[in-house]
Amino acid sequence: MDCPYCDSNRTSLLKSQTNLGYQQYRCNHCHKQFNERTNTPYNVIEYPTEMVTLTVYFYYRFRNSLDDVVELMALRNIHLSHQTVYNWVHRFGVSLVKQFRKNRHGKSGPKWHVDPTYIRVEGRWCYLYRAIDKAGNLVDVYLSDVRDQEAAAQFFLQAESTTGITPDQITTDKEPALAAAIEDVFGNGTRHRSNKYLNNRLEAHHCKTKSRLSPMKGFKNIFSALRFCVTFEEIRQFFRMPSPRLQGRRFLASKIQEFFQIAAKIA
């Protein structure tokens, strides 16, 4: 294992371990000791990395409240507070999002379906812009206080930056602000189809988002809402089955293993 302080590969394995069972090392170049979690965000946490990742997985993959996750972890003899779960799911969820976005950069299709939906924030309705490609894969999400041309244009600019792709075609549901934003951002190079029936697949795609948000009964501020929605959508996309013919159990087992591996390596 390379030294996290000087990046030297001249390291020695020590016989001692940390209290959590992580192996310790010593760098022969800078003479510093370190362990497997040194210089990672997990190093200040008194629980193993796998427990933290499992907490994040339970919260974002299922319709669980913070209290539900506390109870699920207690069944595994892991006793956490409500606030601890809150801190973990938001801190490490954001780090996972950055890695997932990086991994899917350039992989979205050139034909997008775009439509905003409503979510409750601070007792009022806000607009969650969502886009998927022709295959049903996530393109991007964007939360806005208003539903106008400027908000739609910001969403398209963000989606293009996130995916690294300029779409050939965008399907919307006859909203004038989206049509104007498409022309403003992409010009004549992107074909615009405006028909609400052609956008039914995205309308159905909203259902799981709405279903996950319903136990939460709204958000206290728009930043928390954006953080949760982006993290939920990225993790949902990560576990999305690419083909119904794929064997579900084998696919899910491999994705869970990959999820834990990515979470263990986040910086």
Side-chain angles (χ1 to χ4, degrees):
M1 183 175 181
D2 293 344
C3 177
Y5 300 108
C6 65
D7 295 327
S8 173
N9 58 3
R10 296 171 52 199
T11 58
S12 302
L13 179 65
L14 303 180
K15 294 182 179 180
S16 58
Q17 294 182 341
T18 65
N19 295 333
L20 296 178
Y22 291 98
Q23 191 63 54
Q24 291 186 316
Y25 299 84
R26 183 179 184 275
C27 178
N28 297 323
H29 183 263
C30 64
H31 306 293
K32 293 183 179 180
Q33 290 189 11
F34 60 94
N35 61 68
E36 298 172 64
R37 301 206 304 183
T38 299
N39 276 6
T40 69
Y42 301 105
N43 202 38
V44 297
I45 296 178
E46 299 177 356
Y47 293 88
T49 303
E50 293 78 10
M51 292 184 184
V52 180
T53 306
L54 186 63
T55 302
V56 175
Y57 176 81
F58 280 154
Y59 184 70
Y60 285 109
R61 279 293 288 162
F62 308 106
R63 296 178 60 189
N64 291 325
S65 65
L66 296 174
D67 292 331
D68 293 333
V69 177
V70 169
E71 185 173 346
L72 287 170
M73 298 303 288
L75 289 173
R76 290 156 177 79
N77 202 29
I78 305 170
H79 302 287
L80 306 174
S81 69
H82 176 281
Q83 187 63 41
T84 297
V85 174
Y86 177 86
N87 293 339
W88 287 359
V89 298
H90 291 299
R91 178 181 180 185
F92 297 105
V94 171
S95 299
L96 279 170
V97 163
K98 294 178 181 178
Q99 187 60 49
F100 289 157
R101 282 179 172 243
K102 180 180 178 181
N103 291 347
R104 68 182 184 86
H105 186 79
K107 297 180 181 179
S108 297
K111 295 183 178 181
W112 296 357
H113 293 259
V114 178
D115 184 54
T117 188
Y118 300 89
I119 66 170
R120 200 78 173 173
V121 180
E122 298 177 308
R124 57 190 172 85
W125 292 109
C126 290
Y127 305 93
L128 182 67
Y129 286 84
R130 301 179 65 252
I132 61 174
D133 64 13
K134 186 177 180 180
N137 295 308
L138 176 68
V139 173
D140 205 359
V141 294
Y142 177 82
L143 185 61
S144 173
D145 289 309
V146 295
R147 184 176 182 174
D148 56 13
Q149 180 181 343
E150 183 179 354
Q154 288 297 323
F155 168 65
F156 287 128
L157 290 171
Q158 177 183 294
E160 186 178 30
S161 175
T162 299
T163 60
I165 291 175
T166 300
D168 298 332
Q169 176 181 285
I170 296 179
T171 302
T172 65
D173 61 352
K174 292 189 175 182
E175 183 177 345
L178 289 175
I182 292 171
E183 184 178 356
D184 183 39
V185 175
F186 300 115
N188 297 326
T190 299
R191 178 192 174 197
H192 177 218
R193 295 195 308 174
S194 181
N195 188 310
K196 65 179 181 179
Y197 300 107
L198 294 175
N199 227 21
N200 282 344
R201 87 171 54 191
L202 181 54
E203 294 290 347
H205 208 263
H206 287 327
C207 293
K208 287 191 176 180
T209 302
K210 292 281 193 176
S211 176
R212 178 60 188 90
L213 295 177
S214 61
M216 306 184 71
K217 297 181 175 60
F219 296 92
K220 292 184 178 180
N221 59 74
I222 196 166
F223 177 74
S224 295
L226 175 62
R227 180 175 55 190
F228 176 86
C229 291
V230 173
T231 306
F232 169 74
E233 294 289 352
E234 290 290 344
I235 292 178
R236 174 185 172 187
Q237 169 61 29
F238 178 79
F239 283 100
R240 182 178 182 272
M241 190 175 297
S243 171
R245 297 180 180 179
L246 195 65
Q247 294 185 10
R249 292 182 180 179
R250 182 182 303 175
F251 172 81
L252 183 60
S254 64
K255 295 302 286 188
I256 290 176
Q257 183 179 8
E258 185 181 355
F259 179 84
F260 275 74
Q261 290 173 349
I262 293 175
K265 295 178 181 179
I266 60 176

